[in-house]
C-alpha cells in the first residue's frame, strides 16, 4: 500500500500550461491522495481552470513567488500522518504518467531518502535535460547539473544530489515542516537547492530518480513572468547566491562576507562589462544592496538551519561540483551541437594576401617620406611637433585657456585627446609616435580595409583588393605628404567605423568594436560629424530591434566632440565646430569635377609632370577619369545586383560627396589673414569607402567572374599611386625633420625655469604687413593649437592692443609697452627671417628694435633675430577651470568602456538558466 501523497500545485498566470499539467497529474498510474491548487492572483484563466479540475480545494493567494505559494498550499492540507509525502509542482511542469510511481518506488527502496527529484526535461526538446539535480561550485554558485545535455541514460546510475529542482520534487511532509519549508528569501532560483542542503544537514539524503520525468517550460525564475531578461536573471541568481553565502557561513566568516559585498560587486561589474552584459551591472548592484540591508532574512535563514541541523557542513563537501565538472558543463552549454554551429569561412590575413598588400604599403610609406627616416619629430605642411613632455601634452587636453592672452577659455579639440594617447606610445618623445604613424599609415590603412572587407564578403581575394585600393588612395597619400594628421587618422579608422556601425546592432561587442574607430573619425575629421550622425540613425533603423547599440557606439565620439559643439553653439557660430584641427593649411579649391574624380588638392596636378613626359598634350583629368571608371562600374553593378544591401552605402556615397563639396567651400579658419577652407579629402574618403563597399557587394554575388575586374581595380590603384609618390621626389616635400629646438636656445633655457615665459614673435609677410603673436615656453606645439582660437571671427581687445604695440615696436615709435608685455609675461622679442617681398619691412623692424633702450639684443639665432626685455615681470597664468579633469576623465572612461565592450566575451556558457519555452506539450 502506497503512503498518502498530496500534490501541491502552484499557479500564477499559467493558463497556457495548466491544461497539460492538470491532464498529466490526472493520468498518473499512482493516484495521489489529494490535489491542492494555489492560485497566485492570476489575471488570466488559471483560477477557472483550477476550479474546474479535480483539485480538492483551490487556495486563493496574493501574487507571491513559487515557494511561498507552495507554503500556502501546504498550510491548507489536512492534519499530517506518519509517512505523508508532498509532491510539489508548478503550472508549467507536466509530469510523465509514471513519474509519481517511479518517485515513490525510489523512496520505498531507499528509506533514508526524504527528498527525491525527477529528470526535468525541456518542453521544446524532450530528449534534453533542463536539469537533473543541483549542486554548487567551489565558490558557492548554484549549478544545474547536465543542463542542455542529450539524455542517453548516461547519468542514470548516479542518484545522490545536493539538491533537486523545486518543481517536481517529492518530499516527506514531516521533513519539509522540520526544516522550515522553502526559504522566503529564495523566491525562485536556488529554492530547491537550499531545501536539499537543509535536509542533508538534518541527516537525511537527497536523490534523483531517472525513471521519473517532468517536462518544464521554463526555469523557476519565470514563474508568473512571461519573460525574464539577462539582467533580471543576474539579479535573481546573484541575490540567491549572496543570501545563501551569508546564511551558510560560520559566524566568523559571516562578517567578512558582509564586508566584501561592495568590493565584490565592483569587481563583478567589470566582469559583466567584459562579458558584454552592461545591463547586468545595475542588476548586480541591486542584488548586492538588497543583501546588504536584508540582515533579518539572513538571521531567519541561519536560525532555520540551526534548528534542524544534526551533521556538519563537511558531510556536504563530496556533493559539490569540482572545477573540472564546472568547465565541462560550460563547454557543453557553449557547444550545443553541430546543428547550431556556423562555420566561418572568411579568408585569413596571410592566406588572403593581406600580408603582401601590407608589406607593399609599408614600403610606400617609407618611400613617400624618406627625409623623415631617423627623425624624432616632423614639421611642415599642416604639422608641427608635440610638446616635449608627455605631461604637457595631457595638460593641453584639459579644459582651459586656448590662447596666449588667457582670454579664450574652452574645451580641447577631440584630436588633442587622440594626440595625447598617441604620444603616450613613445613617452620619451611624444612627437616620435607621429613620425612612426606617418610611415605606417599606408600599412595600417591596408589592415583596417582588409578586415573591414572581410565583414562584407566571404571572397578570398576581394579583401586584398580593397586593402590595396584603400592604402594607395590619393586621399591618404596626399594627407601623409601634407601632414594632415586629423584627416589621416580619420581615413585609417573609417572602414572599421562604418562597417562596424552598420552591424553594431548585432551585439554589444560589435557596438564596442565600432565605437573606437568612430571616435577617431570624429576627432580627426569633425566635418564628417553630420554624416556620422546620419549613419548612426541608419544603423539604428537597420537594427530596430536593438537600436540602443548603434547609439551607444556613438557615445565615445559624442563625449569627445560635444564640448566643442556646445561651446561653438553658445558663441553663435555652430559651423566652426566642423573646422579641421591642427595647423591651417591652404590649398587650391578643387572643382566639382576634381571631387568627382576623387581628387583632393594637388592630386591631378601631381599627375601632370609624369604625363607631360609620357603623353604630351593629354589632360590629366582624362587619365584620372579612366582610372576611376573600373571602380565606379563595379559599384554600379553592386547597386543593381543587391539593392537591398547597397542602399546604406549609396547614402554614404552621396553624403560623402556632399560633404566634400561643402567642405571645399567652407572657410572657417585663417592663415596669415587669409581664409582657409576645410579639407575636402575627408569627405572623399567616405566616397571611396562607399564605392569599394558597393564593389564588394557586386563581387560577392559571384566570386569567379569578378576576379578579373578586381585585379584591374587593384592595378589601377597602384598606377594612381605611382605619380603621387614620384611627385614627392620631383618637388620639395612639405614635411621635413623638425629642428632640435623650435625656439632659440636662449628662450629654451628660460622656458626650462618658467614654462609660461612669453616670446613676442614678429613675422614680416609683405611690405606694410606684419603678423604678430605670443608663443609660450619652447614654442607653439600641435597639442596646444585649438580651433577655439583658430576659428574666431573677431580679435579681442588684448590682441588689438598687442597689434598696435607690435606696429609701434617695428615702426620705431617711442612708446612705453612695458605694462602690456608684463601682463602677457613677454620676456623676449623674436623677429623671424624675412620673406620674399618683405625685406624692407624686416630691416625697418630690426633697426627699430635695436634702437630701443628697454631691449637687449641677443643676435642672430636659427629662428631669427632675438631681443630680451630688461626688467621684465613674470605674469601669473590662470589655473585650469574647475572640472577640467572630470571632462577628460569622462572621455577616457568612455574610450576604455568601448575597448572593454570590443574585447571577446568572457561568457562561455549558452545561458545561466533555462529560458521560458514554447509550451509543455503532452507525454507520448
Amino acid at each position: 500500500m502506497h503512503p498518502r501523497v498530496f500534490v501541491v500545485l502552484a499557479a500564477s498566470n499559467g493558463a497556457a500550461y495548466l491544461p497539460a499539467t492538470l491532464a498529466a497529474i490526472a493520468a498518473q498510474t499512482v493516484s495521489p491522495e489529494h490535489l491542492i491548487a494555489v492560485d497566485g492572483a492570476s489575471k488570466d484563466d488559471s483560477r477557472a481552470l483550477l476550479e474546474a479540475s479535480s483539485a480538492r480545494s483551490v487556495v486563493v493567494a496574493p501574487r507571491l513567488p513559487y515557494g511561498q505559494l507552495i507554503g500556502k498550499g501546504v498550510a491548507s492540507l489536512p492534519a499530517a500522518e506518519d509517512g505523508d509525502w508532498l509532491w510539489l509542482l508548478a503550472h508549467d511542469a507536466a509530469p510523465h504518467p509514471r513519474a509519481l510511481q517511479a518517485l515513490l518506488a525510489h523512496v520505498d527502496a531507499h528509506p533514508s531518502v526524504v527528498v527525491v527529484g525527477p529528470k526535468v526535461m525541456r518542453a521544446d526538446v524532450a530528449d534534453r535535460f533542463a536539469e537533473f539535480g543541483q549542486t554548487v561550485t567551489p565558490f558557492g554558485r548554484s549549478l544545474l547539473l547536465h543542463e542542455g545535455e542529450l539524455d542517453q541514460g548516461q547519468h542514470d546510475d548516479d542518484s545522490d544530489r545536493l539538491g533537486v529542482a523545486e518543481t517536481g520534487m517529492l518530499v516527506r511532509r514531516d521533513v519539509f515542516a522540520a526544516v522550515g519549508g522553502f526559504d522566503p528569501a529564495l523566491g525562485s532560483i536556488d529554492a530547491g537547492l537550499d531545501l536539499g542542503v537543509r535536509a542533508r544537514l538534518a541527516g537525511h539524503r537527497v536523490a534523483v530518480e531517472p525513471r521519473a520525468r517532468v517536462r518544464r517550460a521554463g526555469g523557476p525564475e519565470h514563474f508568473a513572468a512571461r519573460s525574464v531578461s539577462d539582467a533580471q536573471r543576474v539579479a535573481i541568481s546573484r541575490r540567491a547566491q549572496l543570501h545563501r553565502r551569508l546564511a551558510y557561513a560560520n559566524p566568523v566568516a559571516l562578517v567578512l562576507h558582509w564586508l566584501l559585498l561592495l568590493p565584490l560587486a565592483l569587481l563583478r561589474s567589470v566582469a559583466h562589462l567584459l562579458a558584454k552584459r552592461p545591463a547586468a551591472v545595475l542588476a548586480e548592484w541591486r542584488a548586492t544592496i538588497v543583501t546588504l540591508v536584508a540582515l533579518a532574512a539572513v538571521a531567519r535563514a541561519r536560525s532555520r538551519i540551526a534548528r534542524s541541523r544534526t551533521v556538519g557542513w563537511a558531510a556536504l563537501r563530496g556533493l559539490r561540483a569540482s572545477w573540472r565538472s564546472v568547465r565541462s558543463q560550460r563547454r557543453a552549454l557553449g557547444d550545443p551541437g553541430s546543428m547550431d554551429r556556423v562555420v566561418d569561412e572568411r579568408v585569413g590575413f596571410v592566406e588572403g594576401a593581406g600580408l603582401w598588400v601590407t608589406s607593399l604599403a609599408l614600403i610606400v610609406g617609407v618611400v613617400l617620406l624618406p627625409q623623415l627616416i631617423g627623425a624624432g619629430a616632423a614639421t611642415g605642411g599642416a604639422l608641427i611637433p608635440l610638446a616635449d613632455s608627455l605631461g604637457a601634452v595631457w595638460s593641453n587636453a584639459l579644459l582651459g585657456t586656448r590662447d596666449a592672452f588667457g582670454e579664450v577659455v574652452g574645451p580641447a579639440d577631440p584630436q588633442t585627446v587622440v594626440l595625447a594617447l598617441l604620444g603616450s606610445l613613445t613617452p620619451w618623445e611624444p612627437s616620435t609616435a607621429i613620425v612612426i604613424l606617418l610611415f605606417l599609415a599606408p600599412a595600417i590603412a591596408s589592415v583596417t580595409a582588409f578586415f573591414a572587407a572581410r565583414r562584407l564578403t566571404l571572397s578570398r581575394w576581394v579583401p586584398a583588393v580593397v586593402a590595396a585600393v584603400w592604402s594607395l588612395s590619393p586621399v591618404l597619400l596626399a594627407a601623409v605628404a601634407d601632414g594632415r594628421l586629423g584627416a589621416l587618422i580619420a581615413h585609417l579608422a573609417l572602414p572599421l567605423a562604418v562597417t562596424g556601425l552598420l552591424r553594431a546592432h548585432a551585439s554589444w561587442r560589435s557596438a564596442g568594436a565600432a565605437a573606437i574607430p568612430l571616435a577617431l573619425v570624429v576627432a580627426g575629421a569633425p566635418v564628417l560629424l553630420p554624416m556620422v550622425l546620419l549613419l548612426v540613425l541608419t544603423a539604428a533603423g537597420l537594427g530596430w530591434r536593438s537600436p540602443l547599440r548603434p547609439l551607444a557606439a556613438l557615445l565615445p565620439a559624442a563625449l569627445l566632440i560635444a564640448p566643442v559643439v556646445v561651446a561653438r553653439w553658445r558663441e553663435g557660430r555652430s559651423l566652426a565646430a566642423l573646422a579641421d584641427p591642427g595647423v591651417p593649411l591652404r590649398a587650391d579649391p578643387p572643382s566639382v569635377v576634381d571631387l568627382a574624380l576623387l581628387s583632393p588638392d594637388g592630386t591631378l596636378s601631381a599627375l601632370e609632370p609624369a604625363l607631360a613626359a609620357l603623353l604630351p598634350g593629354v589632360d590629366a583629368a582624362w587619365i584620372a577619369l579612366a582610372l576611376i571608371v573600373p571602380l565606379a562600374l563595379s559599384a554600379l553593378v553592386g547597386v543593381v545586383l543587391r539593392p537591398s544591401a547597397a542602399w546604406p552605402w549609396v547614402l554614404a556615397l552621396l553624403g560623402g560627396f556632399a560633404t566634400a563639396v561643402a567642405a571645399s567651400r567652407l572657410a572657417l579658419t585663417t592663415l596669415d589673414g587669409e581664409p582657409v577652407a576645410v579639407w575636402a579629402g575627408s569627405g572623399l574618403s567616405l566616397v571611396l569607402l562607399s564605392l569599394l563597399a558597393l564593389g564588394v557587394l557586386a563581387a560577392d554575388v559571384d566570386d569567379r567572374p569578378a576576379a578579373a575586374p578586381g585585379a584591374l581595380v587593384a592595378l589601377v590603384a597602384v598606377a594612381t599611386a605611382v605619380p603621387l609618390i614620384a611627385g614627392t621626389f620631383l618637388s620639395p616635400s612639405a614635411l621635413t625633420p623638425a629642428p632640435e629646438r623650435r625656439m632659440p636656445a636662449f628662450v629654451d633655457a628660460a622656458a626650462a625655469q618658467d614654462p609660461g615665459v612669453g616670446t613676442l614673435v614678429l613675422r614680416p609677410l609683405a611690405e606694410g604687413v606684419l603678423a604678430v603673436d605670443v608663443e609660450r615656453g619652447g614654442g607653439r606645439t600641435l597639442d596646444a593649437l585649438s580651433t577655439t582660437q583658430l576659428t574666431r571671427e573677431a580679435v579681442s581687445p588684448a590682441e588689438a592692443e598687442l597689434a598696435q604695440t607690435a606696429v609701434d615696436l617695428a615702426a620705431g615709435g617711442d612708446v612705453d609697452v612695458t605694462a602690456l608685455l608684463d601682463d602677457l609675461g613677454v620676456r623676449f622679442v623674436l623677429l623671424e627671417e624675412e620673406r620674399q617681398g618683405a625685406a624692407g619691412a624686416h630691416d625697418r623692424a630690426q633697426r627699430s628694435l635695436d634702437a630701443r633702450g628697454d631691449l637687449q639684443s641677443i643676435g642672430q639665432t636659427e629662428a631669427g633675430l632675438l631681443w630680451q626685455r630688461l626688467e621684465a615681470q613674470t605674469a601669473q597664468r590662470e589655473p585650469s577651470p574647475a572640472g577640467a579633469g572630470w571632462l577628460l576623465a569622462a572621455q577616457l572612461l568612455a574610450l576604455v568602456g568601448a575597448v572593454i565592450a570590443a574585447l571577446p566575451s568572457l561568457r562561455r556558457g549558452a545561458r545561466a538558466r533555462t529560458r521560458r519555452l514554447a509550451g509543455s506539450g503532452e507525454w507520448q
Side-chain angles (χ1 to χ4, degrees), residues 144-162:
L144 305 183
L145 292 173
H146 314 305
E147 179 188 8
E149 287 187 32
L150 183 66
D151 178 21
Q152 298 175 314
Q154 69 271 35
H155 303 297
D156 287 358
D157 295 333
D158 185 16
S159 64
D160 270 2
R161 293 291 188 268
L162 186 60

Side-chain angles (χ1 to χ4, degrees), residues 61-78:
R63 184 170 182 176
L64 294 171
Y66 169 78
Q68 294 186 40
L69 290 180
I70 291 292
K72 296 281 187 183
V74 172
S76 67
L77 291 175

Side-chain angles (χ1 to χ4, degrees), residues 606-622:
L607 295 171
E608 292 175 356
L611 293 176
L614 299 176
L615 301 171
V618 177
D619 189 353
W622 290 105

Side-chain angles (χ1 to χ4, degrees), residues 493-536:
L494 201 58
L496 296 179
V498 179
T499 57
L501 185 60
L502 293 179
R503 61 195 298 269
H505 62 274
S507 66
W508 284 110
R509 183 183 179 187
S510 299
I516 294 296
L518 200 63
L520 294 177
V521 169
V522 172
V527 71
L528 291 177
L529 179 60
M531 274 308 303
V532 167
L533 295 176
L534 180 60
L535 290 174
V536 167

Side-chain angles (χ1 to χ4, degrees), residues 610-634:
L611 293 176
L614 299 176
L615 301 171
V618 177
D619 189 353
W622 290 105
I623 301 298
L625 178 61
L627 293 176
I628 199 177
V629 162
L631 182 58
L633 289 178
S634 64

